[in-house]
Amino acid sequence: MSFGFKNRFLRSAAAIAVLAAVGTPVLAEEIFVVSGATGSDLQDFPAIVKPWEDKTGNKVTIVPMPSSTSDQFGQYRLWLAAGATDIDLYQTDVIWAPQLADHFVDLTEAGKDLIAANFPSIIQSQTVNGKLVALPIFTDAPALYYRKDLLEKYGIEVPKTWDELTAAATKIQEGERAAGSKDFWGYVWQGNAYEGLTCDALEWVKSFGGGQIVEADGTISINNPKAVKALETATGWVGTISPEGVLAYGEEEARGVWQTGNAAFMRNWPYAYALGNGDDSAVKGKFEVTTLPYGAEGDSSAATLGGWNIAVSKYSKHQEAAVSLAVYLAGPEAQKMRAIMETHLPTIQALYDDPEIAEKSPIIPQWKNVFLSAVPRPSAPTLGKYNEVSSKFWSAVHETLSGNGSAADNLAGLEADLTDLKGDAW
Ligand code: GLC
């Protein structure tokens, strides 16, 4: 089966000839890694893999995917179901392990030193029936980004509840628009119908005390008055403090508005911190991060647990080199580079005490407790059905946000659909 990488053999042969001529071990292989294109991930990749390439004489080629994790998942499933031999390594979302486990090799033995160095809960999330299906390369937990210059200008405290956020965003938006910034918005987030909306909406629901959609024991909990209140609150933002277009936003669209200086608040993952402080950013040095707001006194902030891993395809013809690259990408050297260049949160515990990381990416030590207490999506209890659970959830939320049906009716419908999907057991 070929997916357009037909030069692979020729390129590998050329690399072997070159290396043989200069006396380096004749071992060169070309390894294909497939990965999403969020932020600067793709641009930084060559620098991150260079030390491994130099050490092994192998070459790594990245196969870019769209930034939407849902689009990536669809494509990966097709390739894996077809037994594609052209991709050696897959960068995988934290929620996919139970659904894709059969297609990947067990990394327990190769990764044993890393297993000991990682946070146990993260290793656990990638372990399915005793098999370690992927090695973690970074973890994720979102932040509320805010413009500290604008909070000062309008004399507003950092908001703690969603109501406070709504009031602050409204006031700043009105003020900035009156001062001539016609495209200015109060709050940007991820409202498109995809996995990112599942993450945002789980945070609203959980932070209003409305549970986790499906609980750890498999119970479907989403149809409750607190979840209704959470969705009604978010629906009130669309077209007021958030553009109508937020209903088509992923992470990168939200960051686009924010980073051009056109939003007071943004919900996003830590990767937006490094980029927001880049030289081409209009908000460089003007923002801070805090935890996401909660419903009311007595509730607490909720951050959805994200993160990415590296898995070796069972169908790869370069197993040994692919496993070696996976171990390198999940190891301390590569994780440290990602932490400094991309503000991606390490999964190796010791890196939270690394002085260079703390100096260059202060969000990282600050975010350790946020990700440690982050809320998992229900991928473990719903097993192979998680993707359907999530897509039914994000669809019900998207309909509500779009004004198609009330939150109460849409959540009642969702409960019925999830009950059918569950059948006797997940
Ligand atoms: C981030 C998270 C990932 C999540 C995705 C949703 O990439 O790390 O876990 O599924 O956002 O858009």
Side-chain angles (χ1 to χ4, degrees):
M1 182 143 328
S2 176
F3 296 92
F5 312 122
K6 57 182 185 304
N7 289 331
R8 176 179 190 143
F9 173 75
L10 291 175
R11 276 192 268 162
S12 303
I16 291 170
V18 169
L19 290 169
V22 296
T24 316
V26 183
L27 224 177
E29 292 183 71
E30 187 171 13
I31 304 299
F32 285 84
V33 182
V34 64
S35 164
T38 301
S40 60
D41 286 0
L42 295 182
Q43 292 92 291
D44 297 339
F45 198 76
I48 292 173
V49 294
K50 178 120 193 341
W52 184 82
E53 290 179 319
D54 289 349
K55 203 162 96 197
T56 62
N58 293 329
K59 172 167 170 35
V60 182
T61 297
I62 191 146
V63 180
M65 287 283 107
S67 69
S68 160
T69 177
S70 303
D71 293 346
Q72 288 173 49
F73 185 67
Q75 180 60 67
Y76 285 16
R77 263 218 299 217
L78 292 177
W79 274 334
L80 290 166
T85 53
D86 282 318
I87 308 283
D88 304 299
L89 292 164
Y90 287 79
Q91 190 166 312
T92 59
D93 200 333
V94 66
I95 49 186
W96 298 342
Q99 296 164 91
L100 300 180
D102 290 348
H103 300 287
F104 296 138
V105 306
D106 188 350
L107 293 167
T108 309
E109 188 47 39
K112 61 180 184 308
D113 295 344
L114 286 174
I115 295 172
N118 266 265
F119 290 96
S121 59
I122 299 180
I123 294 294
Q124 190 50 43
S125 74
Q126 299 308 303
T127 306
V128 178
N129 297 329
K131 169 176 171 181
L132 184 60
V133 302
L135 289 171
I137 57 174
F138 67 90
T139 184
D140 238 354
L144 179 70
Y145 287 75
Y146 63 90
R147 288 280 301 274
K148 60 179 182 208
D149 58 330
L150 295 178
L151 290 195
E152 262 165 42
K153 177 171 167 188
Y154 291 92
I156 298 171
E157 297 284 306
V158 178
K160 291 201 185 59
T161 64
W162 292 111
D163 282 348
E164 286 171 11
L165 172 94
T166 308
T170 306
K171 184 166 176 187
I172 299 174
Q173 182 178 306
E174 280 169 3
E176 291 303 290
R177 288 203 181 179
S181 300
K182 296 288 174 230
D183 297 326
F184 195 91
W185 290 98
Y187 186 37
V188 289
W189 38 280
Q190 294 73 42
N192 199 0
Y194 79 121
E195 185 64 30
L197 179 55
T198 290
C199 297
D200 286 44
L202 172 59
E203 287 152 8
W204 308 330
V205 169
K206 178 79 178 171
S207 69
F208 270 90
Q212 300 176 207
I213 313 167
V214 174
E215 302 306 306
D217 66 0
T219 312
I220 298 163
S221 63
I222 188 60
N223 187 19
N224 69 75
K226 290 180 173 170
V228 169
K229 176 93 173 46
L231 295 200
E232 285 173 351
T233 303
T235 304
W237 300 329
V238 182
T240 58
I241 57 169
S242 308
E244 299 274 357
V246 80
L247 297 177
Y249 279 13
E251 285 77 5
E252 290 292 79
E253 288 78 14
R255 185 171 69 83
V257 177
W258 163 259
Q259 216 171 289
T260 47
N262 284 319
F265 297 96
M266 169 176 73
R267 182 264 181 216
N268 218 326
W269 307 92
Y271 85 97
Y273 188 94
L275 293 162
N277 280 317
D279 288 336
D280 59 351
S281 167
V283 298
K284 181 179 179 179
K286 294 183 177 167
F287 69 91
E288 271 305 336
V289 288
T290 186
T291 48
L292 290 166
Y294 49 80
E297 279 323 314
D299 293 330
S300 30
S301 167
T304 297
L305 181 64
W308 289 84
N309 310 275
I310 195 83
V312 175
S313 168
K314 235 168 62 176
Y315 316 109
S316 161
K317 299 234 165 73
H318 303 262
Q319 298 276 331
E320 212 177 303
V323 169
S324 153
L325 177 55
V327 169
Y328 167 77
L329 285 172
E333 188 181 354
Q335 288 211 8
K336 184 167 173 175
M337 278 194 250
R338 285 188 196 278
I340 291 173
M341 294 161 77
E342 301 167 335
T343 42
H344 278 320
L345 302 173
T347 66
I348 293 176
Q349 310 198 34
L351 294 178
Y352 286 84
D353 301 319
D354 184 295
E356 197 185 346
I357 293 181
E359 191 209 320
K360 296 192 170 139
S361 299
I363 187 178
I364 286 179
Q366 235 181 310
W367 237 240
K368 180 177 174 187
N369 288 330
V370 179
F371 97 75
L372 283 176
S373 55
V375 191
R377 282 161 277 174
S379 65
T382 59
L383 301 167
K385 292 179 180 163
Y386 172 72
N387 197 50
E388 281 173 273
V389 170
S390 183
S391 82
K392 286 181 190 304
F393 177 61
W394 81 54
S395 302
V397 175
H398 198 264
E399 289 296 300
T400 309
L401 296 172
S402 310
N404 299 327
S406 68
D409 287 350
N410 289 338
L411 290 187
L414 174 64
E415 179 183 47
D417 285 352
L418 293 180
T419 307
D420 280 352
L421 181 65
K422 179 177 178 187
D424 292 337
W426 291 110

